[in-house]
């Protein structure tokens, strides 16, 4: 249910890159990303053909790929140019409780990306990337209830800590259910 809600939010705000409300849906679940991309590409091809337009999966798959991304590719975009803001204004993080804590992120960055001394958790870095936008940005964190947090996963609390620590001018809107035992 929450993934569908997140897709609906992102889809409503999906525009061409030049528009001010460009949105992206992020997930760390690679198979889910692949299935969503394929389904949305096929749907877009079908819609265009019904309108009498020529459309191919290869053409339309590129825009879907920009719209549905692996969360780690989004992070890598933020690392590539440490001053450039993301194109996106609205970023939906699916399974946000699975984001990595500072220790796991630092270990990954050192071993896999050859970046030593990385001192941020995944939520703090993602928010810092979005904070590069000079106008506005919205992060929507979708949280699954009743799930165990695995080693190195920070939980939703890290998003709250990162916001309080580094992004005091951001406004938080939190579900009243977040304090339920399953979260």
């Amino acid at each position: 249910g929450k993934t569908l809600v997140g897709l609906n939010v992102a889809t409503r705000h999906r525009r061409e890159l030049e528009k001010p409300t460009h949105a992206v849906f992020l997930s760390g679940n690679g198979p889910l990303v692949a299935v969503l991309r394929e389904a949305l590409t096929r749907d877009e091809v079908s819609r265009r053909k019904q309108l009498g337009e020529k459309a191919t999966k290869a053409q339309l798959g590129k825009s879907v790929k920009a719209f549905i991304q692996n969360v780690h590719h989004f992070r890598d975009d933020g690392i590539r140019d440490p001053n450039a803001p993301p194109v996106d204004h609205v970023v939906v993080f699916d399974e946000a409780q699975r984001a990595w804590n500072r220790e796991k992120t630092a270990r990954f960055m050192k071993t896999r990306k050859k970046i030593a001394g990385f001192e941020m958790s995944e939520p703090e870095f993602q928010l810092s990337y979005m904070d590069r936008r000079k106008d506005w940005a919205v992060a929507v964190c979708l949280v699954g209830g009743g799930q165990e947090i695995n080693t190195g996963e920070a939980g939703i609390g890290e998003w709250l800590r990162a916001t309080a620590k580094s992004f005091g001018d951001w406004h938080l809107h939190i579900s009243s259910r977040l304090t339920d035992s399953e979260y």
Side-chain angles (χ1 to χ4, degrees), residues 131-150:
D131 198 55
R132 295 177 200 169
R133 292 208 60 91
K134 298 300 180 205
D135 46 6
W136 62 273
V138 174
V140 178
C141 295
L142 304 174
V143 180
Q147 300 178 23
E148 294 295 321
I149 298 297
N150 296 315

Side-chain angles (χ1 to χ4, degrees), residues 43-126:
D43 182 63
E44 189 66 22
V45 168
S46 176
R47 288 176 197 245
R48 299 281 179 99
K49 286 186 175 180
Q50 286 176 354
L51 294 171
E53 298 176 22
K54 275 187 150 184
T56 66
K57 281 177 62 176
Q59 283 175 312
L60 299 175
K62 290 178 187 175
S63 69
V64 171
K65 189 174 182 181
F67 169 60
I68 305 290
Q69 293 183 30
N70 184 292
V71 69
H72 303 296
H73 296 160
F74 184 79
R75 178 208 56 222
D76 291 349
D77 288 344
I79 291 169
R80 250 187 292 293
D81 184 344
N83 297 312
V87 172
D88 315 289
H89 283 269
V90 179
V91 180
V92 179
F93 294 95
D94 195 27
E95 299 288 348
Q97 78 279 4
R98 300 257 178 248
W100 295 344
N101 62 26
R102 189 189 61 75
E103 293 79 15
K104 184 169 182 172
T105 304
R107 192 170 42 253
F108 176 85
M109 297 303 270
K110 183 177 182 180
T111 59
R112 299 289 297 273
K113 299 292 180 180
K114 308 300 182 220
I115 299 172
F118 197 87
E119 292 296 325
M120 288 186 263
S121 66
E122 197 170 29
E124 187 174 3
F125 180 76
Q126 299 292 25

Side-chain angles (χ1 to χ4, degrees), residues 127-128 130-137 162-173:
L127 291 172
S128 73
M130 293 176 66
D131 198 55
R132 295 177 200 169
R133 292 208 60 91
K134 298 300 180 205
D135 46 6
W136 62 273
T163 303
K165 173 185 167 195
S166 303
F167 308 103
D169 58 336
W170 281 56
H171 301 278
L172 295 177
H173 300 274

